[in-house]
Structure formats: structure tokens, C-alpha cells
Amino acid sequence: APGGSKTPQMTSMSAVHMSLVGANLNPQAVPMGMLPGKSNYMVGNDRSKWRINVPTYAKVKYQGVYPGVDLIYYGNQSQLEYDFIISKGADPSRIRLSFDGAKTLQVDSRTGDLLITTPAGSELRHVRPRVYQQAGKTRLEVAGSYQLISGKEVAFKLARFDRQHELVIDPTISFTAFLAGSNQDEARAVAVDGSGNAYVTGDTASTNFPLVSAWQQSFGSVFLTKLSPTGVILFSTYWGWNDVANGVAVDSTGVYICGYTSASDFPGQRLGLLGEGDIFVSKFSLAGLNIYSLVFGGSKLDAASAIAVDPYHNAYITGQTYSPDLPIMGSWRGYSGIGVSGDPDAFVAKVDPWGNLVKSAYVGGSYSDWANGIAVDQYGSVWITGTTASSDFPLTMPVSIVAGGNVFVCEINSAFTGFVFSTELGGGASYGTAIAIDSADYVYVAGDVGANSYFPTTPGAFQSARPTLSSSPAFVAVLDPYGGRIYSTYFGGSNGATQPASIAVHNGSIYVAGRTSSSNLPGAPLLTPNPTAGFVTKFAPQLNAITYTQLLGASVNGVAVYQRYSAIVKTYPQVYAAGMRYNGGLTGQYEDAFVVRLDETPVSSTPVLCCAVAK
């Protein structure tokens, strides 16, 4: 075609009809949840046939589709959802679904979702049926799964449950956006602004990453992508080359990312020496335009692992440095053993709103120290967490130290003149990977515990003892504003490793995301065999229960929570998760980055079996 234009192609379409096998053919339809809007149907010139002020409803219930079973249909954003309401004494095993027009039916062994393929090659996904019971203050999951009865029929298989207790429906996937080119792509962090837009950063080796002009470098490049609340890519930007981005934060003035670069010509102001790898901090406008970029480091390898922003638009970063000559700003140099052992130290730094490095310090002892997470409060005090192998790590709250690595948590005052507190958690071979702070300055820490090591838990913890000695579970802990432990728990299955990468707090609930190779992670479907899977888990505020565990891709590296404010209707949290899946890309050979929005649903007062259809 002249000018290289593309000729439109005919699109093949097909329909799949879902029906209830053996159900009541004439159930009574009852509208539910009247909405404020009205509809008017003024068709033709015969006014007697017009329908004015027709009420609209959120749901419709079909009563008695099976004995003691009602069926509710309703829309949720772009999804159709349907709930089976099971009365006391009713038998849920009578429910049968038939899919006429489907080419194949199968149950996804990793997620438990029902996959329906059409003759046209498209795929429909029914989210795995999940049911929870409310027993006092504890929420217990009732195991549920799809069961293939024949080539075109499906039933629901449920574990025994007490119909006297209410059930909780788990979240449904609102959208999944794949950020994929023809090479390897991985999302490493996500943040969400006050309007529900998501900002994702990571690195890509693809020359055809979505919505970015052609890039000819053969090395990896940092990307920053903004997605609307419905998953539409609003902008996507390459930044530098031969780099890795590890952290992202957002405020009303822009988006901040951090990581490390080995490029000598990384864009922006450079401070210090050109080492084996240098720290970078970059800020972009909410439209994707660069505001500033700062590169700094010493003569060795330096890398930023996380970033946070205070109310005055100062950026704070942490990570690790092998350089004895890292640029130090301010009167407090901190604690460093690099000059003695050559092992890395953690560092913490502050960048002002104009991109200037104004404060920085070492954090460490005589041996290896790494910082992985950072958070800042409204007053500018900075919390970091990581791992130390130093027996002389500086502590204001001494604890018994176990050789082999320990989680540290430190608070640095806003003036960067020293610690407010510094303490250690864990019992050897424990790794702090993520940290968050709530509005009351309570501190939330997540990490993992190595095999044959222990982590102190508190009474009533969801998992008070590690699952098995050979497994490597996660831990989650809550500290008061002075560093004292309030709650802590293990979280893991009886085999494999569970490794958190991110933590978020919303209305007291705690969200932890990461990756697991456990085949029986609590709240998740069984994985057989047990490949590595990404997870998002919501914990109760006192860490004595979990609300749900959702498996996503191969690794979830970032999590953020948003809840729309409305004075008219009640809203529920939306959870954004970013990570990567295996065997993605346009060629099917590489990893894909992804972003998922999970919409939480309200607690139901009656037993409910919930299913959702997602494109």
C-alpha cells in the first residue's frame, strides 16, 4: 500500500453462551440496589408507548435457580460478575455451568481460574471461586475450585463450610496491562497518585517497548510508564541505557525514580566519581517530562534500591555502596566499615526539590550491610530497613545478635545528624526487604527468614511458628513509633521460599507482595508442581489473620493501594501490583512486565460463591 499504510483485516468473532444445567427455567427476577439515575425510552411518535423515569438498579437476583440457591448478576467496571447465594442447608454441588460455543475448557493449574477458549482463538477467564468465612474477628478461607464435569460443563467443588458464618469474597481483577516488547521487560516498582493513575518503573531490553519511539541501544534501559485507572497507557519513557530502576514515588508535583547506572553519559547532573556503577535519582512531571536527574557515587559500585518523598517534595533514597569515597553531605558521616573490610555499607541520602544532593550518610558496621526499603514521615524523619552481617552495627536498642545476617530498622532524624532509634529484628539469616509508615508513625516491615533460622513472633500471630525448618518463610512486623515490636508473624508454606519485595498500609490493613516457590502458600490455590509465582496478600492490622492471597505472574515486585473518595457512595480499596511473568514478549521467549489492578469487594452477610468473567 502507498506510504506503508496497513490494510484493514477482517476480524473473526464468536460467541459463548453460559447456561445453568438442570436449573429452574422460570426463576423470579428481583432488582437490587436502586441507582440514582433514571432512564427514558421515547421511541416513535406514539407517546403511550414511551417509558419515562424508568429506575435503574445495580444488580438483578434470580431467586431459586436451584433449591435454596439464588443467582445475582452485576457489572463491576469492565467485568460481569455473578454470585450464587447459598441458603442454609442448600447443596452447592448441584450447580452446573454449561458453555455452548466454547472450543475448550480448562482450569489454570497456577491460578485456579477457568479458561475458556473460543473458535476464534480468544480467551475468557472466570476468576477462581474464592469463599471466606467470618468466625468472630477471624476470617477463614473455604477452599473452592472449578471442577470439569465434561468437555463443556463445570461444577464448583467446595471444602466443608459452616453455613452459620458469613463469607467474604476475594478481590477481582479489574485490569491487567502487559508492558511487553520483543525482549526482556521487568517492572520493579509501582506508585499511585491521588486520582488512581499508576506509575510503573523497571528496565527493558526491548527496542519496541509500548508507546516509546525506536531505541537502538543493545543494552537495557530504564522505563517509566503511566497508566490510567482503567489500564490505558498514558505515556511511556525510556531513560538512559545500561541501567536498572528499583524504586518509584509520586506526589502532586511529579514522579521520582531511582536505581543505578553504569553509563558514563547518563543524562543529568553528575556528582562525585565515575565508578563501576553509580546512583541515579530522576524526577518527571506527571505528563512524563524530565524535571531533573542526578547521578552520584564513588570509585566503586553504588546502587539505590528504594525511594520516598516527603510533603515538601524532597526525595529520600537508600541502597548500598562499596565506595569509601561516596559523596557525603552534611555534618554527620554516619557509620562505615568499608575502609576496613571492603564489604558494602548501606547509605541514605536526601535530594531537594531542585535535584541537589543536600544530605547523605553511611549506615553500617565492619561487615556487609544492605538497605532495601525506605519511608519518610510528614516531619522528614527517615526509616530504612535492610540486612546486616556486622556485629558492631550501630544500635540504640541493643538486642542479642545472631551470626549470619539480621534485619535492621533505623530511624534517622530530619536534620541528618544521627539515629532516633536503631534496632535489629530476627534471629539470624533474616532479610528486611520493605518498609512503610502510617499516618500515626507506626512502622511496618516485611522480609524473609532463611532456612533453619527463626524470627520472634507475638501472641496470636497468624503463623506463630515457622512452617518447617527447611522452608524459607516471609515475616511481617509492626513497630511502634519508638521502634518497639507490637506484632509480628511468619508467612509461608511448608516448602519453598516466600520472599516479600514490597509493603503498603491502608486503613490499618497491611499489603505484602513478592514471590514464592511454596506449593501451599496460605490463602492461595495449591501449586502442583510448584513453580515460582508472584503473590499479593492482605493482612489484618494485628497480623492475626489474612484476608486473601492472590497469585499473579512469576514475581510481584511492587504494590500500592488507592481508594477513591466519595461522599455519595461507599468505595473500596484498589490494589495495584507490578512485576513480571515468564515466557512473555512478542516472541514468547522473554519476560514481560505487567501491572494489575485488584478491586476489593465488600463483605457479604450471606453465604456467597462468587465468580467473575474477565476478558
Side-chain angles (χ1 to χ4, degrees), residues 458-469:
T458 51
F462 173 69
Q463 281 186 316
S464 58
R466 64 177 300 136
T468 61
L469 287 177

Side-chain angles (χ1 to χ4, degrees), residues 281-603:
V281 185
S282 300
K283 181 179 180 179
F284 297 82
S285 72
L286 297 181
L289 301 178
N290 183 244
I291 296 175
Y292 69 70
S293 186
L294 172 66
V295 183
F296 68 96
S299 56
K300 302 291 185 180
L301 176 63
D302 314 300
S305 56
I307 189 167
V309 181
D310 70 13
Y312 306 102
H313 318 303
N314 298 293
Y316 300 79
I317 56 174
T318 194
Q320 43 278 336
T321 173
Y322 285 84
S323 298
D325 47 10
L326 186 75
I328 298 299
M329 300 293 178
S331 59
W332 182 56
R333 181 178 176 82
Y335 306 87
S336 174
I338 291 179
V340 178
S341 66
D343 291 324
D345 272 344
F347 76 87
V348 62
K350 176 181 179 180
V351 178
D352 71 16
W354 300 274
N356 302 304
L357 182 66
V358 293
K359 300 289 184 181
S360 56
Y362 290 101
V363 179
S366 300
Y367 292 94
S368 296
D369 312 289
W370 301 267
N372 299 312
I374 190 167
V376 61
D377 68 14
Q378 57 185 323
Y379 305 108
S381 290
V382 184
W383 282 262
I384 61 174
T385 189
T387 303
T388 177
S390 300
S391 59
D392 58 350
F393 189 88
L395 299 174
T396 62
M397 300 173 62
V399 295
S400 59
I401 297 173
V402 179
N406 227 10
V407 179
F408 70 77
V409 179
C410 303
E411 180 188 358
I412 299 162
N413 63 41
S414 60
F416 264 68
T417 57
F419 291 134
V420 177
F421 76 77
S422 176
T423 189
E424 291 185 358
L425 311 173
S430 302
Y431 309 92
T433 56
I435 192 169
I437 300 174
D438 67 15
S439 59
D441 292 340
Y442 285 84
V443 184
Y444 303 78
V445 185
D448 52 275
V449 183
N452 301 312
S453 298
Y454 72 93
F455 191 88
T457 60
T458 51
F462 173 69
Q463 281 186 316
S464 58
R466 64 177 300 136
T468 61
L469 287 177
S470 60
S471 66
S472 297
F475 76 82
V476 186
V478 182
L479 310 181
D480 65 29
Y482 309 100
R485 187 194 309 256
I486 303 175
Y487 308 112
S488 61
T489 186
Y490 285 107
F491 178 66
S494 61
N495 54 23
T498 302
Q499 300 167 311
S502 184
I503 189 170
V505 182
H506 180 74
N507 288 341
S509 295
I510 306 161
Y511 299 80
V512 177
R515 60 191 298 172
T516 183
S517 59
S518 174
S519 63
N520 55 356
L521 190 68
L526 295 178
L527 296 178
T528 307
N530 54 319
T532 300
F535 73 89
V536 176
T537 299
K538 181 179 180 179
F539 291 84
Q542 297 179 355
L543 295 178
N544 57 354
I546 63 171
T547 305
Y548 59 78
T549 294
Q550 179 78 50
L551 296 184
L552 299 166
S555 177
V556 178
N557 301 323
V559 66
V561 184
Y562 167 77
Q563 186 167 350
R564 179 175 61 88
Y565 170 77
S566 175
I568 300 175
V569 298
K570 184 173 178 58
T571 62
Y572 298 92
Q574 297 171 342
V575 183
Y576 291 78
M580 67 90 176
R581 67 172 185 176
Y582 292 134
N583 301 320
L586 299 181
T587 64
Q589 298 177 358
Y590 300 99
E591 299 169 357
D592 275 348
F594 70 79
V595 187
V596 173
R597 194 186 92 186
L598 303 172
D599 286 0
E600 294 188 357
T601 52
V603 174

Side-chain angles (χ1 to χ4, degrees), residues 239-241 243 265-269 282 290 293-295:
W239 191 240
W241 65 277
D243 319 301
D265 58 351
F266 190 89
Q269 173 190 358
S282 300
N290 183 244
S293 186
L294 172 66
V295 183

